[in-house]
Amino acid sequence: MWFQKNIVLNARPRGFHLITPTLIQELPQLRQYKIGIAHFFIQHTSASLTINENVDPTVRSDFENFFNQNVKEDEDYYLHTYEGSDDMPAHIKSSLLGQSVTIPISQGELNLGTWQGIYLGEHRDHGGDRRIIVTLQGECY
């Protein structure tokens, strides 16, 4: 069985945000799937999705610090600067991390590892609401 839903995440500040609980709350349909795949795709070029540790919030801070150190703003070689100094670095960070994650579904739940969670990487100072398309596919009860 196939299922698709658009989820709108409220604007968040720049940084990495654990969104697993929000996504699960928005997907009661997930409980219908015995086995399958959940695909999450963000419809933006200045934000990203990734999976990493979900317990210690310093991991998210370290991610933000790493990417800001390695993909700097205001570099003189950027040509795409129309939307501000954080725009082109946001596009680069988004491309490095990616716009989607795919997670197995087992017994009505996302089958993430013990310490894993889904992050929204918000790479703009004022990115606004973010849209994620979720597609579920699998065998239902």
Side-chain angles (χ1 to χ4, degrees):
M1 181 168 127
W2 289 89
F3 173 80
Q4 193 168 73
K5 181 177 185 176
N6 294 326
I7 297 174
V8 178
L9 301 176
N10 292 331
R12 288 171 166 76
R14 184 169 166 168
F16 288 83
H17 306 276
L18 186 64
I19 59 170
T20 316
T22 302
L23 295 175
I24 291 171
Q25 180 181 349
E26 291 289 325
L27 288 169
Q29 300 82 359
L30 188 61
R31 293 188 289 269
Q32 300 172 16
Y33 286 81
K34 182 177 180 181
I35 187 171
I37 295 290
H39 183 262
F40 299 87
F41 175 80
I42 191 163
Q43 292 184 302
H44 302 275
T45 60
S46 57
S48 61
L49 295 176
T50 191
I51 296 173
N52 217 289
E53 181 176 321
N54 67 352
V55 178
D56 185 351
T58 62
V59 172
R60 296 187 290 279
S61 297
D62 288 346
F63 259 70
E64 180 66 7
N65 292 333
F66 172 84
F67 278 96
N68 288 337
Q69 179 69 32
N70 289 284
V71 185
K72 293 180 171 51
E73 293 183 17
D74 298 315
E75 295 290 359
D76 60 4
Y77 51 82
Y78 292 148
L79 301 177
H80 180 76
T81 58
Y82 308 115
E83 296 179 57
S85 63
D86 66 341
D87 189 35
M88 191 60 220
H91 294 315
I92 293 169
K93 293 171 187 178
S94 174
S95 285
L96 289 171
L97 288 162
Q99 290 73 36
S100 67
V101 294
T102 303
I103 301 166
I105 300 169
S106 300
Q107 307 303 317
E109 296 181 353
L110 296 178
N111 197 349
L112 290 162
T114 302
W115 307 108
Q116 290 182 327
I118 304 168
Y119 290 4
L120 165 68
E122 177 53 70
H123 307 304
R124 298 293 309 267
D125 290 329
H126 306 286
D129 293 347
R130 298 302 191 174
R131 293 178 316 279
I132 296 178
I133 297 176
V134 182
T135 304
L136 307 179
Q137 196 274 323
E139 179 183 330
C140 292
Y141 288 103

